[in-house]
């Protein structure tokens, strides 16, 4: 559950900071849209965070995978004896 909370904190931070970057961009350099660079690249990171939490959490190197590996190692040790 802490992972989900961490994602939402990340999302809210992303929205607030990028909103302020947009305002700063409009005030000081209205002809150059530099705020798009952090918006896009941080957005890519946010997408990966989302995928890691909600899509791949239990599939790719997640809890299920870990439990299967532990069971496999225990069975291998049991079969050796």
């Amino acid at each position: 559950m802490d992972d989900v909370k961490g994602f939402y904190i990340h999302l809210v931070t992303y929205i607030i900071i990028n909103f302020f970057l947009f305002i700063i961009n409009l005030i000081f350099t209205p002809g150059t849209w530099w705020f798009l660079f952090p918006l896009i690249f941080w957005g890519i990171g946010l997408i990966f965070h989302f995928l890691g939490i909600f899509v791949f959490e239990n599939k790719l190197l997640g809890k299920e995978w870990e439990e299967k590996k532990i069971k496999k190692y225990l069975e291998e040790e049991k079969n050796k004896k």
Side-chain angles (χ1 to χ4, degrees):
M1 204 61 188
D2 289 334
D3 294 337
V4 175
K5 182 179 176 183
F7 170 75
Y8 285 117
I9 290 170
H10 189 183
L11 177 63
V12 169
T13 305
Y14 171 80
I15 292 169
I16 292 170
I17 297 295
N18 280 294
F19 173 75
F20 283 111
L21 289 176
F22 172 71
I23 298 299
I24 291 168
N25 190 170
L26 279 179
I27 293 170
F28 293 105
T29 54
T32 306
W33 298 108
W34 55 262
F35 84 95
L36 291 173
F37 293 106
L39 182 81
I40 291 168
F41 291 111
W42 190 355
I44 291 169
L46 190 63
I47 289 169
F48 279 111
H49 193 175
F50 172 82
L51 292 174
I53 298 298
F54 296 107
V55 177
F56 298 117
E57 180 180 13
N58 289 325
K59 295 179 183 176
L60 183 65
L61 303 177
K63 293 175 187 174
E64 262 182 42
W65 175 84
E66 186 177 344
E67 289 173 4
K68 287 180 184 178
K69 284 294 184 182
I70 291 171
K71 286 180 183 178
K72 180 182 173 186
Y73 288 131
L74 290 174
E75 287 179 18
E76 286 175 0
E77 287 297 317
K78 184 179 176 182
N79 291 335
K80 285 181 183 178
K81 294 180 181 180

